[in-house]
Amino acid sequence: MDSPSDDVVAYRYNFIGGPYATAEPKQPGGSVTVPFLPLRSGPNTLTVQAVDRAGRPSGESRYRFYVQSGRAPVAHWRLDDAAGATSAEAEKGTAARAGSGVSFGGPAPRGTDLTSTAHLDGSSHGYLTPDAPAVADPRKAFAVSAWVRPAQTDQNMTVAAQDAGRSAAFTLGLRQEGSTPVWSFGVGDARVSGGAPETGEWAHLLGVYDAETGHTKLYVNGHEVGTEAEATPTATVGAFQIGRARHGEAYSDRWRGDLGDVRVHDRVVVPAEADELARRQPGLLGHWSLETASGGASPEQNGGVPLKLGDGAAIYRGPDSSCLPDIDPDCPVVPSPLVGDGHLTLDGRTGYAATDESVVDTSDSFTVGVVVRLADADPIHPMTVLSQGGEHTDAFKVRYQPSEHAWQLVMPQQDEPGAVETVVAQVAAADGGSGSGHRLAVVYDDATDQIKLYIDGGSIAAATADFPNGWSGHGPLQIGRAHTGDGWGEYLHGDVDEVQAYSGALRANEISALGWGTDPCLC
């Protein structure tokens, strides 16, 4: 930024969408240069005002420019090679030689484009290396990432590293801090740690070194963790390693578990990219529109497992086109269904609907949405609209609690009678049989260890709580009742429509599309 005036002592500027900042030249009338890291691709605008000694600003000058997408990785191993392979093909860079402790064809994280991964057995033979550097100069900006699933968390383990003589220029992996395992990214003597590794659970790790700021960052499942640290990288360059790190004359901290999609960038990976790399695409498990029933069952839209109707449950159908009250005064006025041409109505005593098998894996991320309208204006007992059970209790249930005037998501912390429950709530008045009801959605995000309850498509902020250890409830999906003691209870009196279930955690903008009779665009 420069000005022809020798009276300019500062420049006030901002990039579109960013805060205003001030830069001062070394002497009046001088120019200034500022670094700028674009956080998204596309058009951008720099706006500048020159400020003189008296504090008077000039008119605004604007510079419009276009930011390209970030460069592709300089090295990339998917690690989804065929079982029996002795090396990992490179999407970019050099193929990685595999030790005999590496086996291909392992499980892949659900919701990604990986079809399989590599398993490393933790022995001295469990490693992969291209026998060449992946980061050409560790003193310049770089990033390294991978999908990881540890088989244990009680020892230091390396996901990726690069040799630097008798040590490692950087390491990404799992470390012990006291008695607690954490994810870790180290560059030189600097280290950033955070997150909570769990045995047998997938996580996406991304370590970033920004040469402009001199700081390192660590992202776990797309979220920055720990406190960024100032680093002094080494200039020494050696071979890139997957599953081990150099310490003195030997390698140690070997990885035991599964690895996939190892990437190395020669640039900073920005937060939006970190989120996208860690994205696990939700998958539709079932959508029940509850508009028809045949043989006592309401079909799933795509031919999946139906919802079987118990006593006290029926499908209500709205008016057809053969009789229109606005034209023929003798036509009875028939209320419209909640959504579409019909909905499920439950009597509050014995009425329910259920699948024959479990629908969502409650030990992993899932989302379930429903439209519900209570028949009573002043319910006298709790009423459950959704639940899926374990052996001793429900893995989750969504119920109306009259004493709190609220919808609640209830998730016990163990599959045991009387287990401690985590509860989140959204306040709402009972419907009394009128209106369009409420669109509810429950989300368990295993990546962030959080549960969320949305009401009315997220028009109100989600009620959220930490829930670190989801467990698997293998029982059928229940509509309108829940486990109580040794039997069933909390029967719902009211109407239910548009039950939708997904593997994976839907984002807030996707939640808003639930309950309208269609499936949201998961993009």
Side-chain angles (χ1 to χ4, degrees):
M1 293 173 280
D2 200 358
S3 170
S5 172
D6 59 7
D7 196 31
V8 170
V9 295
Y11 298 92
R12 187 167 181 264
Y13 68 96
N14 88 309
F15 293 90
I16 190 170
Y20 276 88
T22 300
E24 298 180 355
K26 293 182 179 179
Q27 56 187 22
S31 64
V32 295
T33 300
V34 297
F36 171 59
L37 176 65
L39 297 182
R40 61 176 178 82
S41 60
N44 208 315
T45 301
L46 167 64
T47 302
V48 183
Q49 286 180 301
V51 181
D52 65 15
R53 288 185 176 90
R56 295 173 300 190
S58 69
E60 292 184 338
S61 294
R62 290 184 173 85
Y63 173 65
R64 294 178 176 85
F65 59 99
Y66 193 89
V67 180
Q68 292 183 335
S69 297
R71 292 189 301 275
V74 292
H76 183 191
W77 300 272
R78 290 175 59 85
L79 302 184
D80 58 358
D81 303 83
T86 57
S87 65
E89 292 295 323
E91 295 283 301
K92 190 69 180 293
T94 306
R97 174 174 55 88
S100 60
V102 177
S103 57
F104 294 99
R110 186 169 59 186
T112 70
D113 63 355
L114 291 174
T115 56
S116 63
T117 57
H119 179 80
L120 281 63
D121 66 4
S123 73
S124 60
H125 303 289
Y127 68 90
L128 300 102
T129 178
D131 296 311
V135 176
D137 186 348
R139 296 170 298 178
K140 297 181 179 179
F142 70 91
V144 58
S145 64
W147 279 103
V148 307
R149 187 171 77 155
Q152 62 187 88
T153 59
D154 57 353
Q155 65 182 42
N156 294 347
M157 297 197 297
T158 301
V159 173
Q162 185 163 293
D163 296 348
R166 292 165 50 86
S167 62
F170 59 86
T171 58
L172 177 69
L174 184 155
R175 291 181 63 83
Q176 299 296 311
E177 290 193 353
S179 60
T180 303
V182 292
W183 299 116
S184 177
F185 179 54
V187 177
D189 293 329
R191 187 168 298 279
V192 183
S193 300
E198 295 183 38
T199 299
E201 182 173 299
W202 284 106
H204 186 269
L205 304 185
L206 168 66
V208 178
Y209 172 66
D210 186 342
E212 185 67 44
T213 64
H215 286 181
T216 60
K217 293 183 179 182
L218 174 63
Y219 295 83
V220 177
N221 294 318
H223 301 274
E224 186 177 352
V225 300
T227 302
E228 63 181 62
E230 188 171 354
T232 304
T234 177
T236 308
V237 178
F240 186 75
Q241 305 291 336
I242 298 173
R244 64 182 184 178
R246 184 83 178 190
H247 291 286
E249 296 298 326
Y251 292 98
S252 62
D253 297 348
R254 300 174 185 276
W255 181 263
R256 181 169 172 260
D258 304 310
L259 297 176
D261 203 40
V262 177
R263 303 181 186 219
V264 179
H265 287 83
D266 63 346
R267 61 175 177 86
V268 171
V269 172
V270 299
E273 293 177 304
D275 180 64
E276 194 59 34
L277 285 172
R279 172 71 164 156
R280 298 179 68 177
Q281 186 81 347
L284 180 65
L285 299 173
H287 182 177
W288 296 269
S289 291
L290 298 169
E291 296 187 346
T292 61
S294 176
S298 188
E300 195 274 327
Q301 277 196 354
N302 299 303
V305 57
L307 281 168
K308 293 185 176 180
L309 277 57
D311 292 338
I315 296 296
Y316 171 82
R317 295 284 295 178
D320 58 36
S321 58
S322 63
C323 188
L324 301 174
D326 291 341
I327 299 175
D328 184 353
D330 293 328
C331 282
V333 176
V334 180
S336 296
L338 286 176
V339 182
D341 297 327
H343 63 235
L344 176 68
T345 181
L346 302 171
D347 65 2
R349 298 184 299 275
T350 61
Y352 73 95
T355 59
D356 281 337
E357 58 193 52
S358 64
V359 173
V360 297
D361 178 1
T362 56
S363 67
D364 202 352
S365 299
F366 70 87
T367 303
V368 183
V370 67
V371 180
V372 57
R373 178 174 61 196
L374 299 178
D376 305 309
D378 190 16
I380 60 175
H381 62 78
M383 292 188 290
T384 293
V385 61
L386 294 171
S387 68
Q388 185 170 301
E391 183 178 353
H392 301 288
T393 187
D394 290 314
F396 81 92
K397 65 180 175 181
V398 180
R399 70 181 179 191
Y400 189 77
Q401 179 56 267
S403 62
E404 303 292 334
H405 303 287
W407 286 102
Q408 295 179 333
L409 166 61
V410 181
M411 293 187 68
Q413 296 176 15
Q414 294 177 301
D415 188 10
E416 298 292 343
V420 174
E421 296 176 333
T422 299
V423 181
V424 293
Q426 293 277 21
V427 174
D431 303 291
S434 63
S436 57
H438 293 286
R439 292 184 294 133
L440 306 179
V442 49
V443 175
Y444 170 49
D445 190 343
D446 192 33
T448 60
D449 289 332
Q450 285 190 325
I451 58 173
K452 298 180 181 181
L453 176 63
Y454 292 86
I455 188 169
D456 295 335
S459 58
I460 300 173
T464 304
D466 293 332
F467 195 78
N469 295 306
W471 52 272
S472 183
H474 294 294
L477 180 67
Q478 304 284 338
I479 313 300
R481 67 179 184 177
H483 280 102
T484 54
D486 294 329
W488 295 102
E490 297 188 0
Y491 284 93
L492 186 128
H493 186 205
D495 305 319
V496 179
D497 210 347
E498 290 300 317
V499 178
Q500 294 167 272
Y502 293 83
S503 62
L506 266 64
R507 294 170 170 171
N509 64 311
E510 296 163 343
I511 290 293
S512 64
L514 292 177
W516 299 111
T518 59
D519 297 317
C521 173
L522 304 179
C523 48

